């Protein structure tokens, strides 16, 4: 039998273990799907668009990337540190570089799975992509990848610097705050002015604004609907790049393997 | 080509802040040799072994494994060593079969997973998640993972801890086979009778200091004791009593509990008592 490379074997193992954990599946698939279906079928929130689903799909895609890259990764890595797994792997030929690469591959694979589920569910709930085209899709993939890097860097920074149980609390709190203030399930125009300024500095807002722009339903601070954009706003690229660079550098500097 | 020892420590000192965990330890071990590092809790056994595994940098002195620096030559050394940690180190949701296959994939020439599983008797619970296993079963898996890469040097921290007699026999057999196949095995343990049985040499450390080393039988005979346990108690108590003598003046200046005042030295107290009489 042909042997798998250490990187592929590790990435497959990471993916399998994530899908095996009930709480990961809840976070990765059940909550996003419930939010998508629940908010599109009720009128709890005024989305400012003719069809709530047009606002919800890009928002829920943001939520899935944030959940898997930041919350899922930080909690699993934090507990791997707690259980001595990272320490144990440190003396094997796998090495830290390949371990991180395997985690990145695993997170990406799960996000592709999540995006597929959300898009299919969205289409079933009569979501129509307003401005599709290869360039739009390519930009959506690129900005999602950059956001994935930024969220993963934040996740690893949290996982590598505080205790596993504190990781659990902090990651979930950040997730909840970002869910509420980043234009994911409610337009940021509904937030108080001061909170809007804070919100625009968050990676979750940068991604949700970018995906809302590309896939339609971008709501301005005045509550009007902007037609689907053909490109990602520069501010989104900038905010995500800064988060990726700063959190990544801090994680590389401060990460404790045991 | 000059043959280098499989493991070599020269005047190793390891500090944790102001605490010295290892205080000038020197020893070496060859391929095909089984060396047990013994000592009371907090003696510096695990710190010494973790320095050889590359987890800690020496504060001074040097550590070499197969002639390589465990920290700076980590990448070159990793395929040559097998590590069994004192506890944990395995994904809790993974079963032993998955863990063995995953660890085997890290190494260029791994041992057949089924052979190791059979040898350590882990076939029976190969599909049970690690977190649901007993302590002894978890130790067997940890040992299997240390050996799956066919190491030249194996570091085993408390390999028989929590194991039933069957597990201990399996470990003894495995260690004996490793020796025969030319592997250097370094064991940290509290199990003195086990160490006496399977070690070519023992190193006894206390408070980070080397207090005795040599083949267990020779040490027992030279000391006039009857077993390794007696010898261990003799040398670690002697060390403790020497230390007590060295630290006595300092202890005599200790604070009286609950008073915030220094106690008078014992001699001074006796003198005062005499004067008062």
């Amino acid at each position: 039998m042909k042997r798998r490379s250490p990187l592929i074997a590790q990435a497959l193992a990471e993916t399998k273990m994530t899908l095996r954990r009930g709480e990961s599946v809840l976070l990765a698939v059940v909550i996003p799907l419930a939010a998508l279906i629940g908010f599109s079928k009720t009128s709890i929130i005024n989305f400012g668009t003719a069809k709530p689903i047009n606002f919800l799909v890009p928002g829920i895609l943001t939520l899935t990337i944030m959940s898997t890259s930041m919350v899922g990764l930080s909690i699993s890595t934090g507990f791997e540190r707690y259980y001595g797994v990272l320490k144990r792997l440190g003396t094997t030929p796998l090495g830290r570089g390949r371990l991180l690469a395997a985690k990145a591959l695993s997170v990406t694979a799960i996000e592709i799975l999540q995006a597929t589920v959300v898009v299919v569910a969205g289409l079933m709930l009569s979501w129509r992509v307003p401005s599709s085209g290869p360039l739009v899709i390519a930009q959506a993939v690129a900005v999602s990848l950059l956001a994935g890097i930024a969220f993963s860097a934040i996740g690893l920074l949290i996982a590598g610097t505080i205790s596993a149980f504190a990781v659990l609390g902090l990651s979930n709190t950040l997730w909840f705050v970002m869910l509420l203030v980043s234009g994911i399930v409610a337009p940021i125009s509904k937030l108080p002015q001061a909170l809007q300024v804070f919100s625009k500095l968050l990676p979750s807002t940068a991604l949700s604004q970018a995906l809302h722009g590309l896939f339609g339903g971008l709501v301005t601070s005045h509550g009007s609907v902007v037609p689907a954009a053909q490109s990602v706003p520069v501010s989104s690229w900038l905010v995500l790049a800064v988060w990726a660079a700063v959190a990544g550098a801090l994680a590389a500097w401060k990460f404790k393997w045991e | 080509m000059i043959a280098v020892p499989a493991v070599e420590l020269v005047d190793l000192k390891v500090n944790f802040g102001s605490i010295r965990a290892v205080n000038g330890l020197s020893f070496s071990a060859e391929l095909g040799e089984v060396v047990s590092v013994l000592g009371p809790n907090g003696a510096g056994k695990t710190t010494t072994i973790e320095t050889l595994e590359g987890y800690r940098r020496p504060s001074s002195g040097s550590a070499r494994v197969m002639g390589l620096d465990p920290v700076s030559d980590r990448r070159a050394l990793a395929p040559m060593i097998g590590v069994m940690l004192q506890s944990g180190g395995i994904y809790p949701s993974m079963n032993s079969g998955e863990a063995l296959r995953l660890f085997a994939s890290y190494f260029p020439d791994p041992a057949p997973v089924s052979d190791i599983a059979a040898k350590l008797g882990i076939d029976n619970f190969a599909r049970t998640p690690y977190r649901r296993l007993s302590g002894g079963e978890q130790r067997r898996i940890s040992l299997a993972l240390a050996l799956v890469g066919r190491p030249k040097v194996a570091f085993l921290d408390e390999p028989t801890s929590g194991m039933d007699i069957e597990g201990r026999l399996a470990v003894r057999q495995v260690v004996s086979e490793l020796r025969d196949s030319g592997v250097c095995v370094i064991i940290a343990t509290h199990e003195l009778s086990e160490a006496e049985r399977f070690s070519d040499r023992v190193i006894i450390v206390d408070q980070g200091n080397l207090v005795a080393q040599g083949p267990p039988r020779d040490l027992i005979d030279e000391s006039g004791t009857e077993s390794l346990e007696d010898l261990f108690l003799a040398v670690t108590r002697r060390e403790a009593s020497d230390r007590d003598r060295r630290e006595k003046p300092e202890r005599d200046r200790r604070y009286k509990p609950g008073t915030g005042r220094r106690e008078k030295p014992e001699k001074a107290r006796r003198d005062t008592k005499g004067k008062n009489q």
Side-chain angles (χ1 to χ4, degrees):
Chain A
M1 201 175 83
K2 194 170 174 282
R3 288 185 62 218
R4 286 193 184 116
S5 77
L7 174 64
I8 299 299
Q10 183 67 26
L12 285 172
E14 299 262 349
T15 309
K16 206 185 215 179
M17 283 185 291
T18 302
L19 296 176
R20 203 178 268 175
R21 283 191 296 268
E23 67 275 19
S24 299
V25 175
L26 184 75
L27 193 70
V29 181
V30 179
I31 291 177
L33 265 187
L36 187 68
I37 297 166
F39 288 123
S40 67
K41 294 289 180 195
T42 57
S43 52
I44 303 167
I45 299 165
N46 174 14
F47 294 100
T49 58
K51 288 167 73 181
I53 193 72
N54 275 20
F55 180 87
L56 280 168
V57 171
I60 298 298
L61 284 172
T62 302
L63 179 70
T64 57
I65 293 169
M66 185 171 87
S67 302
T68 302
S69 298
M70 186 179 74
V71 185
L73 181 65
S74 67
I75 293 174
S76 62
T77 309
F79 276 91
E80 282 164 17
R81 190 159 71 95
Y82 175 76
Y83 289 122
V85 175
L86 299 184
K87 179 180 180 180
R88 178 72 188 77
L89 293 179
T91 55
T92 67
L94 177 70
R96 288 168 179 175
R98 273 194 289 205
L99 175 65
L100 291 178
K103 284 187 180 293
L105 280 179
S106 168
V107 162
T108 308
I110 290 167
E111 284 172 356
I112 289 170
L113 177 71
Q114 288 175 293
T116 307
V117 169
V118 170
V119 167
V120 169
L123 291 171
M124 288 169 73
L125 292 164
S126 66
W127 172 56
R128 295 293 171 264
V129 184
S131 57
S132 58
L135 194 62
V136 167
I137 301 293
Q139 284 187 76
V141 171
V143 79
S144 299
L145 280 175
L146 180 59
I149 294 169
F151 284 123
S152 299
I154 297 168
L156 289 174
L157 175 62
I158 295 170
T161 49
I162 57 178
S163 77
F165 294 97
V167 170
L168 200 60
L170 181 59
S171 293
N172 283 315
T173 305
L174 281 180
W175 179 86
F176 191 64
V177 170
M178 288 188 187
L179 171 70
L180 293 181
V181 305
S182 303
I184 291 173
V185 292
I188 57 168
S189 58
K190 306 281 178 196
L191 300 172
Q193 194 61 40
L195 209 51
Q196 285 187 34
V197 175
F198 164 72
S199 166
K200 283 175 183 165
L201 299 174
L202 296 175
S204 43
T205 306
L207 179 61
S208 97
Q209 295 287 79
L211 293 182
H212 278 124
L214 294 175
F215 294 136
L218 178 67
V219 181
T220 68
S221 54
H222 308 295
S224 55
V225 182
V226 174
Q230 293 300 313
S231 62
V232 172
V234 175
S235 60
S236 287
W237 289 116
L238 204 62
V239 167
L240 290 171
V242 168
W243 274 100
V246 173
L250 281 173
W253 179 34
K254 288 287 179 187
F255 195 95
K256 285 183 277 198
W257 291 82
E258 52 172 298
Chain B
M1 200 174 116
I2 301 164
V4 292
V7 163
E8 186 176 35
L9 290 179
V10 179
D11 196 23
L12 178 76
K13 290 181 179 137
V14 182
N15 301 332
F16 294 115
S18 60
I19 296 166
R20 176 156 290 175
V22 180
N23 188 22
L25 207 57
S26 299
F27 72 83
S28 63
E30 304 297 331
L31 290 173
E33 192 177 17
V34 178
V35 176
S36 289
V37 183
L38 313 174
N41 287 327
K45 303 185 296 292
T46 296
T47 305
T48 302
I49 290 198
E50 289 194 346
T51 306
L52 288 165
E53 291 164 347
Y55 290 121
R56 325 239 163 266
R57 281 180 192 279
S59 303
S60 69
S62 74
R64 288 280 182 278
V65 179
M66 300 300 292
L68 299 169
D69 182 308
V71 178
S72 57
D73 301 323
R74 183 192 289 257
R75 189 174 287 187
L77 192 57
M80 290 190 260
I81 64 169
V83 171
M84 180 186 187
L85 295 179
Q86 200 173 62
S87 64
I90 297 166
Y91 295 100
S93 63
M94 204 174 248
N95 66 46
S96 57
E98 291 170 328
L100 271 169
R101 283 192 294 278
L102 177 63
F103 272 62
S105 77
Y106 301 156
F107 292 89
D109 179 29
V113 165
S114 53
D115 286 5
I116 291 199
K119 205 175 280 180
L120 284 164
I122 57 183
D123 286 337
N124 300 338
F125 47 86
R127 296 174 72 85
T128 310
Y130 180 78
R131 67 169 180 272
R132 295 212 188 119
L133 298 173
S134 71
E137 289 167 339
Q138 291 184 345
R139 300 304 289 152
R140 289 192 206 198
I141 295 174
S142 193
L143 177 58
L145 297 183
L147 305 181
V148 75
R150 297 186 202 266
K152 287 190 164 63
V153 182
F155 297 102
L156 314 180
D157 202 345
E158 306 282 358
T160 54
S161 165
M163 276 191 188
D164 57 15
I165 185 66
E166 216 174 279
R168 282 163 192 264
L169 290 172
V171 172
R172 263 183 236 161
Q173 180 64 28
V174 164
V175 169
S176 168
E177 285 175 19
L178 288 171
R179 176 200 285 120
D180 294 345
S181 57
V183 176
C184 172
V185 186
I186 306 290
I187 299 170
T189 184
H190 286 292
E191 308 277 354
L192 301 177
S193 56
E194 294 287 344
E196 189 174 342
R197 255 189 210 107
F198 55 47
S199 309
D200 298 312
R201 211 146 43 88
V202 295
I203 312 269
I204 304 179
V205 290
D206 192 19
Q207 296 283 311
N209 296 299
L210 178 72
V211 292
Q213 73 164 314
R217 196 65 255 167
D218 292 0
L219 287 176
I220 293 164
D221 292 344
E222 282 164 18
S223 64
T225 53
E226 291 194 349
S227 67
L228 189 59
E229 190 174 322
D230 291 341
L231 166 73
F232 178 86
L233 290 172
V235 292
T236 53
R237 277 181 186 158
R238 190 182 64 206
E239 177 71 7
S241 121
D242 289 349
R243 199 170 49 247
D244 279 357
R245 269 198 298 279
R246 282 198 305 274
E247 291 173 0
K248 194 166 184 295
E250 181 57 35
R251 271 212 330 275
D252 284 344
R253 289 196 299 274
R254 71 184 180 272
Y255 283 93
K256 261 185 181 175
T259 64
R261 295 200 307 263
R262 285 182 195 278
E263 273 186 339
K264 286 180 183 171
E266 208 165 313
K267 183 173 180 301
R269 272 206 305 275
R270 277 201 307 272
D271 291 349
T272 310
K273 203 176 167 187
K275 276 178 195 168
N276 291 344
Q277 279 171 346

